[in-house]
Amino acid sequence: MKNILKTALMGIFISASLVSCQSDMTSLNEDPKHPSVLPSENLLATALFQSSYYMDNPSVNFNNYRFFTQQWAEGQYPQETQYDLVTRNQPRNHFNRMYVYSINNIRQAKENLKAEVETNDVRTNKLATLEIEEIFIWENLVNTFGDVPYSEAFKPNEILTPKYDDAKSIYIDLVKRIDAVIATVKPAAKGYGSGDLVYSGNMNKWVKFANSVKLRLGINLADVDPTLSKATVESAIVGGVISSEEEAYKFAYDGNTFSNPVFDNLVASNRDDFVPSELVINTMNSLSDPRMDKWFTKVGGVYKGGIFGELNDPYSDFSHLNDYFRSSTTASNLLSYAEVAFLKAEAAARGYSAGGTAADLYATAVTASMKENGVSDTSITSYLIANPYNAANWKQSIGVQAWIAMFNKGFAAWNFTRRLDYPTLVNPPKSNLSSVPYRMPYSDQEYVLNGANVNAAASKIGGDKATTKLFWDKF
């Protein structure tokens, strides 16, 4: 992994300015000291690393998903838990990482693949791998910002200021793209080799991942378009979704040149900035959750969470994230088996055909999370007896358990909390916003470089504010 990524990263020296995501895109991979045409495999490796690392990054300078879901609290510097999204330009940083460092490399890989010598089936599978990864990144963007540049993006020779496409239209197109690309896959043939840092060329796993992204898209449509939601979800499940932790979408780090982003921010940086929130600690304590022993340290024999939105100092007075999260080689688990199982449980609760009852799928999901975190079978059984599925309030039942299971999986947790509204997230007293965030505001650079289009998008969605709900977040 190290050599492929080091070579690939040489090809993405990025200019300081992003002209509406694209004016310099044709030159992003140029480096006079190295080959002008990088192998598509290297570009894929770079895109996988960049998208995974920065979707999972807990840095206060990037996506802040863990603060949006109030799973982490801050120590000496509580500005981000007070929802200050301006000082550190988090929207700009995440926007650029996904567009320039991630999708741009996928698009270039698709072009470079055309000139590479391959058998037809292998070429088809490589192109499918690139397409599925690109769809995954688009799904992150549309669920982070809402309307975004899509249909006119990445056309530097034609359009320098792309329009912002309607988010639901993007959803519909992504589902169509998933169906189309799955139909092309040749399961008996391999895809990429060492450059596929997630599935190592296993196309069956890429197909299951694609269907799982489709499942996530479909569930998000439930409150805005129930008919389309049901059809999308059921089609994804029939097509085959992630069915074990071995099939989860995980980006592994070598712990040397490239380390897990939580390790980088908690250990390598030697910073004492983050503690589990009081909401997490109190919720899990009330449920006698055995995962607490795996995840958190104790203070004076008890777990003590930090107050969200407040200064939690000194650091030693609070529980910390355990060594479980502090390894440099821990993979970024961006679409886990537990998440897919909770999505299926929610589908069943909504009356969709999901391959089981809501109660059974709920138990499967909780069990998957427990096993992922090394909890014993005996403890799992006891937990499920004490915390059974509640059909009378299924949104709370699934919502709270999914939020716990997605601890340290910030983006996944944010989807659940926005859609199900559980657990109840309270806007901190010192918040810079009028409510908790429901979306990331647009990049400030877009107002300079693509002003007419970003202003039109902001007006359309009801204002470019973190408190503006996405089209699917109806309740």
Side-chain angles (χ1 to χ4, degrees):
M1 178 179 88
K2 179 166 63 177
N3 290 336
I4 282 187
L5 270 175
K6 287 176 72 175
T7 302
L9 287 169
M10 291 175 182
I12 59 166
F13 294 116
I14 308 301
S15 61
S17 296
L18 172 68
V19 181
S20 189
C21 311
Q22 50 199 320
S23 65
D24 291 329
M25 282 192 174
T26 55
S27 63
L28 288 175
N29 294 301
E30 293 179 4
D31 180 358
K33 295 182 180 180
H34 299 91
S36 59
V37 179
L38 281 169
S40 64
E41 186 165 35
N42 294 66
L43 291 163
L44 169 64
T46 301
L48 290 170
F49 168 70
Q50 291 289 332
S51 58
S52 297
Y53 188 91
Y54 288 99
M55 285 183 196
D56 194 28
N57 199 321
S59 169
V60 294
N61 297 301
F62 284 93
N63 57 61
N64 292 175
Y65 294 136
R66 291 169 178 83
F67 300 142
F68 292 171
T69 57
Q70 299 187 0
Q71 293 179 327
W72 287 19
E74 290 182 283
Q76 302 175 52
Y77 310 103
Q79 290 90 338
E80 286 69 38
T81 52
Q82 295 166 0
Y83 299 136
D84 175 359
L85 302 176
V86 177
T87 302
R88 296 181 182 275
N89 293 316
Q90 293 98 332
R92 178 205 302 179
N93 295 334
H94 189 70
F95 189 84
N96 289 356
R97 284 288 167 180
M98 294 302 109
Y99 272 97
V100 182
Y101 290 73
S102 301
I103 295 178
N104 176 61
N105 280 288
I106 293 293
R107 290 293 180 99
Q108 190 61 56
K110 288 179 177 179
E111 286 300 310
N112 292 7
L113 177 61
K114 295 176 183 177
E116 295 173 5
V117 178
E118 283 294 356
T119 64
N120 288 337
D121 284 0
V122 171
R123 184 187 305 278
T124 296
N125 282 349
K126 287 185 174 183
L127 184 61
T129 300
L130 295 169
E131 173 72 351
I132 294 168
E133 176 63 16
E134 182 181 328
I135 290 166
F136 178 53
I137 301 167
W138 282 120
E139 186 252 347
N140 175 268
L141 281 165
V142 73
N143 283 328
T144 297
F145 296 99
D147 295 8
V148 291
Y150 178 72
S151 62
E152 293 183 354
F154 300 98
K155 297 180 179 180
N157 296 324
E158 305 168 39
I159 302 170
L160 294 181
T161 54
K163 70 178 182 180
Y164 279 59
D165 290 77
D166 173 73
K168 185 178 180 183
S169 297
I170 297 173
Y171 256 61
I172 291 170
D173 192 60
L174 292 178
V175 171
K176 289 179 179 177
R177 287 173 66 174
I178 289 170
D179 289 342
V181 70
I182 286 174
T184 70
V185 170
K186 311 295 182 184
K190 290 287 285 185
Y192 281 102
S194 56
D196 178 356
L197 302 172
V198 176
Y199 290 127
S200 302
N202 185 320
M203 297 310 299
N204 289 312
K205 290 183 178 181
W206 275 106
V207 167
K208 287 196 170 188
F209 170 63
N211 274 319
S212 300
V213 174
K214 181 179 175 181
L215 172 64
R216 193 151 71 176
L217 289 165
I219 281 289
N220 276 349
L221 292 168
D223 292 327
V224 69
D225 193 333
T227 301
L228 178 59
S229 172
K230 184 174 187 292
T232 303
V233 166
E234 292 181 350
S235 172
I237 293 171
V238 169
V241 293
I242 291 168
S243 58
S244 69
E245 192 57 27
E246 289 69 35
E247 295 170 350
Y249 182 98
K250 297 179 183 179
F251 185 94
Y253 301 91
D254 64 10
N256 184 8
T257 305
F258 304 100
S259 298
N260 175 275
V262 177
F263 168 87
D264 283 347
N265 281 270
L266 267 64
V267 181
S269 64
N270 196 32
R271 298 180 68 89
D272 297 335
D273 290 348
F274 307 120
V275 297
S277 72
E278 193 175 54
L279 179 60
V280 165
I281 294 297
N282 291 350
T283 301
M284 295 181 75
N285 254 331
S286 69
L287 301 173
S288 300
D289 196 313
R291 286 167 290 195
M292 297 184 78
D293 289 336
K294 306 287 184 180
W295 292 353
F296 311 127
T297 62
K298 291 181 177 180
V299 179
V302 299
Y303 297 108
K304 184 179 179 182
I307 300 173
F308 190 83
E310 298 292 337
L311 186 73
N312 294 290
D313 192 51
Y315 181 68
S316 58
D317 283 358
F318 301 91
S319 293
H320 306 153
L321 296 179
N322 231 327
D323 289 344
Y324 183 85
F325 296 114
R326 294 173 175 269
S327 169
S328 62
T329 58
T330 296
S332 289
N333 193 347
L334 297 175
L335 217 169
S336 65
Y337 173 45
E339 179 183 354
V340 170
F342 275 113
L343 292 172
K344 291 174 68 177
E346 181 180 338
R350 292 181 182 274
Y352 303 174
S353 177
T357 66
D360 287 346
L361 291 167
Y362 165 90
T364 297
V366 172
T367 299
S369 174
M370 293 283 184
K371 286 187 173 295
E372 178 189 343
N373 291 284
V375 176
S376 70
D377 290 343
T378 301
S379 295
I380 296 171
T381 300
S382 298
Y383 186 83
L384 286 170
I385 292 172
N387 302 286
Y389 174 68
N390 179 7
N393 194 351
W394 64 265
K395 285 191 174 183
Q396 181 182 44
S397 192
I398 293 173
V400 170
Q401 289 296 333
W403 176 76
I404 294 171
M406 298 303 109
F407 183 82
N408 201 44
K409 300 179 177 69
F411 179 67
W414 197 28
N415 283 330
F416 279 106
T417 59
R418 288 183 291 178
R419 190 175 59 251
L420 298 178
D421 299 309
Y422 283 101
T424 301
L425 303 180
V426 177
N427 197 32
K430 297 177 183 177
S431 176
N432 289 272
L433 305 177
S434 59
S435 75
V436 298
Y438 298 111
R439 62 179 288 275
M440 184 87 82
Y442 292 129
S443 166
D444 62 314
Q445 286 183 330
E446 282 289 276
Y447 285 92
V448 177
L449 303 170
N450 194 15
N453 286 311
V454 71
N455 276 296
S459 177
K460 171 184 172 293
I461 65 175
D464 182 18
K465 299 173 289 188
T467 55
T468 300
K469 290 190 174 185
L470 299 188
F471 78 97
W472 52 260
D473 189 5
K474 285 296 184 182
F475 303 110

